[in-house]
Structures are given as structure tokens and as C-alpha cells.
Amino acid sequence: SVVEELQRRVCREFGLDEDVGLKAMRGANLLGLQARLRKAGINLDQSERHEGPVGSAAAKSPAKMSSFGRHVGSASDLSADEIKTILRRENELRLCEETQILFKRASVQPAGWISVVEELQRRVCREFGLDEDVGLKAMRGANLLLPRDGEVDEISLYRKYNRFRDGPLGVGDVPPDVTVHRLDGEKVSLRALIQGPRPLVMFSGSYT
């Protein structure tokens, strides 16, 4: 969140749309590659030949009009009703027969069901005419955009039945002795880690 806010600040300082500035910063390596290819006489996209004010990280493009009747520059520009409309569509697609079949097939694929969800959410972005950065943040960050709005948890199936609960451990408590895995695959006891001379900070969570 710190990096995202920093990058948005850079966009504001240069007077750039967030979509433009973020792509320029996050995709600098790709943009540099495209420039080198063009210098070598290889143009991946002939439509990129353009002169004029900055409109995108690589080329001028008109502001995208969303299905809400206006250009939406960031997820925070969406109203509560608009965010909930997006969530309802996402949930509808998650539960449809077509998606359930894809989930079943993905269970034996390396990328797993996560790839199905990512493509589904991108489809929702396209349906509502939203930039992916905007739409994805609206779906994935709805609880942050609409804090204390219980309806958000009721709309999304995966939020409604989320079994996450705050555990009983507090600051200063002795944690249970469990086995943890280092990045190199080595197994080590949690107690062994916390008995060292240095302070230990632990971050834990679920990838899914």
C-alpha cells in the first residue's frame, strides 16, 4: 500500500492519469524493450506511431468510457452501489455452470483455480468497461473501499463463508511449537527460531 500510494503521488506530480503513470513505472522494462525493437526496425504495433500529448504509457488513447456512463480513473471513484453491482456480477459468474466446470478442470492444472478466478475478474472488468487496475481493486479491495458495510460480505460468496477469525494469541504470548519451512525447504521448529538472540517478526496468512 505504501508503494502504491507513492506511485500515485508520482503520477500526480507529473500530471499523468494513474493508468499512464503506473504503466510507465511498472512496465518500464517492457517499454524499453519495445523502443529497442523499434530502433532495430521491428515494430510490434504499427498503431503506436503517434505524436502529441501523453495519453498512455506507449501511445495516445482516449479515456475509456465505463458502463456507468463516465471514465473511472480509480476504484475509489466508484460509488458504493457501483462497487456492489460489480461484486454481484463477479459472484454470478463464479457460481455459473461454465465457471464450475473450469474450476473442476483447473484442479489438476499447475496454476490451479486461481487462474480461473483471475480470468473471470478480468472479464468483469471488460464487461463494465473498466481498466483492469480499477476493476480488480474494486473486487479484491471492496472491504477496504467500503469499510463497515456488511452488504459487501453478503454479496460475495467467498467473503460470506470466509472462516477467518482472529486467533487467541496476543503480543508477548508464547506461540505453539509448530514446524515451519524455510524458503530453501528446510524444516525448523518455531521455538528454535524465537530462542535466538535477535528479535523475530512473523507474517503469516493464506495464499488463497
Side-chain angles (χ1 to χ4, degrees):
S1 61
V2 176
V3 173
E4 288 181 347
E5 179 53 37
L6 181 151
Q7 290 178 331
R8 290 193 176 93
R9 174 179 174 181
V10 173
C11 294
R12 293 193 296 270
E13 289 182 357
F14 283 92
L16 298 172
D17 289 338
E18 282 190 3
D19 180 60
V20 176
L22 293 178
K23 285 181 180 177
M25 286 179 275
R26 298 173 182 176
N29 289 338
L30 178 59
L31 293 172
L33 173 61
Q34 291 174 338
R36 290 194 295 273
L37 289 173
R38 283 195 293 269
K39 188 175 181 180
I42 304 172
N43 194 349
L44 297 179
D45 185 358
Q46 295 296 329
S47 66
E48 287 186 0
R49 298 179 182 277
H50 172 81
E51 294 181 0
V54 177
S56 73
K60 175 72 176 181
S61 59
K64 182 185 294 185
M65 183 66 70
S66 72
S67 64
F68 301 115
R70 70 186 192 286
H71 171 67
V72 180
S74 69
S76 58
D77 292 337
L78 293 163
S79 69
D81 287 341
E82 290 168 345
I83 292 174
K84 292 173 185 178
T85 298
I86 294 169
L87 293 179
R88 290 188 184 95
R89 178 54 178 160
E90 180 199 9
N91 200 57
E92 178 184 14
L93 289 176
R94 279 177 180 260
L95 298 178
C96 75
E97 183 179 358
E98 174 189 354
T99 302
Q100 294 304 308
I101 292 174
L102 293 175
F103 278 146
K104 185 175 181 179
R105 292 175 180 171
S107 64
V108 296
Q109 300 297 324
W113 62 272
I114 290 291
S115 60
V116 177
V117 173
E118 289 179 344
E119 179 53 38
L120 179 151
Q121 291 180 330
R122 290 190 176 96
R123 173 180 172 180
V124 174
C125 295
R126 293 192 297 269
E127 289 185 1
F128 284 94
L130 298 171
D131 289 334
E132 280 191 5
D133 182 61
V134 175
L136 294 178
K137 284 182 180 177
M139 286 178 274
R140 299 173 183 177
N143 292 98
L144 296 176
L145 294 167
L146 302 175
R148 299 179 298 279
D149 191 327
E151 191 176 0
V152 170
D153 291 333
E154 290 297 317
I155 292 173
S156 300
L157 185 73
Y158 61 95
R159 288 188 174 95
K160 183 176 182 179
Y161 295 103
N162 183 5
R163 292 177 293 176
F164 167 79
R165 297 291 184 275
D166 288 334
L169 290 176
V171 176
D173 290 348
V174 177
D177 192 17
V178 297
T179 300
V180 295
H181 299 261
R182 296 182 183 274
L183 294 178
D184 60 8
E186 180 187 354
K187 297 180 181 179
V188 62
S189 164
L190 178 59
R191 291 275 175 86
L193 288 176
I194 65 177
Q195 288 174 356
R198 296 177 299 177
L200 176 69
V201 178
M202 291 192 61
F203 291 91
S204 62
S206 170
Y207 172 73
T208 58

